[in-house]
Amino acid sequence: ILNVEQSPQSLHVQEGDSTNFTCSFPSSNFYALHWYRWETAKSPEALFVMTLNGDEKKKGRISATLNTKEGYSYLYIKGSQPEDSATYLCAFPPTGYALNFGKGTSLLVTP
Amino acid sequence: NAGVTQTPKFRILKIGQSMTLQCTQDMNHNYMYWYRQDPGMGLKLIYYSVGAGITDKGEVPNGYNVSRSTTEDFPLRLELAAPSQTSVYFCASSYSNGGLNQPQHFGDGTRLSIL
């Protein structure tokens, strides 16, 4: 099993703070890198699917970058809001058929 | 627009009982997946299917079986329920044209307790 590692495991920030998380994955045989947002008592929702080295994706205040050569992706949240509180998952397909998910970064944003 | 629908939402089973978790999608996705979520362990892949008639094992397939007779449906069967199978189960689907460059769409989950 080729593992995806996420850090930090959890994060607590104040409303208005900007923050970022890291996803590390094996850099060989790269297919794609997925980011999902998972709110408590709901199901995961896709944020980004990134496929090219140097890719940058943005959705509102959330953005992500990708470095396939060194095997990492960063997720950034600008001006965190309480509704951003969730677990953020990254996932990597080692074979191209199915995703291996990291354990996630749990974000809590307090007013 | 239903997306991925899972039934039931909750179920309590006795040890040794069997049941089928249903999953259906209306997006004409070729790829479908079953995951289980255990506390602190993230999502673990149980089985997946790349099209009707084709299934394959994921990371944690023991104690489960699947079938994919249609594009829409991907049921997960527990034959002899064990306490270790207490978990939240998620079904997901995605479109693929040869690589996982499309997002997965998840159902709302089935919370299963084995007592």
Side-chain angles (χ1 to χ4, degrees), chain B:
Chain B
N1 192 3
V4 179
T5 302
Q6 291 183 238
T7 56
K9 293 192 186 306
F10 305 95
R11 185 73 184 268
I12 298 175
L13 282 182
K14 293 182 179 179
I15 295 171
Q17 285 186 319
S18 61
M19 78 162 294
T20 299
L21 281 65
Q22 301 291 345
C23 176
T24 187
Q25 53 91 10
D26 62 359
M27 296 173 282
N28 202 32
H29 285 167
N30 47 349
Y31 282 28
M32 294 188 75
Y33 314 86
W34 275 106
Y35 297 94
R36 57 179 287 173
Q37 181 220 353
D38 298 319
M41 299 300 291
L43 288 170
K44 297 292 186 183
L45 182 66
I46 305 171
Y47 271 94
Y48 67 96
S49 169
V50 300
I54 306 169
T55 62
D56 208 347
K57 296 177 181 178
E59 187 179 353
V60 289
N62 291 342
Y64 306 96
N65 279 300
V66 293
S67 59
R68 184 95 182 271
S69 56
T70 67
T71 299
E72 295 78 19
D73 300 308
F74 190 39
L76 178 71
R77 179 101 179 137
L78 283 71
E79 291 293 350
L80 289 170
S84 61
Q85 294 177 303
T86 294
S87 188
V88 182
Y89 292 83
F90 287 96
C91 178
S93 72
S94 68
Y95 173 71
S96 178
N97 57 0
L100 285 185
N101 55 6
Q102 297 296 319
Q104 293 191 0
H105 299 259
F106 285 80
D108 290 336
T110 295
R111 185 175 296 275
L112 181 63
S113 294
I114 316 293
L115 304 176

Side-chain angles (χ1 to χ4, degrees), chain A residues 57-71:
Chain A
K57 300 259 185 179
K58 188 174 181 182
K59 183 182 287 189
R61 294 178 291 98
I62 303 177
S63 60
T65 60
L66 178 67
N67 184 323
T68 61
K69 295 184 188 304
E70 296 182 39

Side-chain angles (χ1 to χ4, degrees), chain A residues 6-12 21-22 86-88 103-108, chain B residues 39-41:
Chain A
Q6 291 189 248
S7 62
Q9 185 176 347
S10 63
L11 202 50
H12 181 186
F21 332 130
T22 303
T87 296
Y88 292 83
K103 293 182 181 180
T105 292
S106 177
L107 174 67
L108 178 63
Chain B
M41 299 300 291

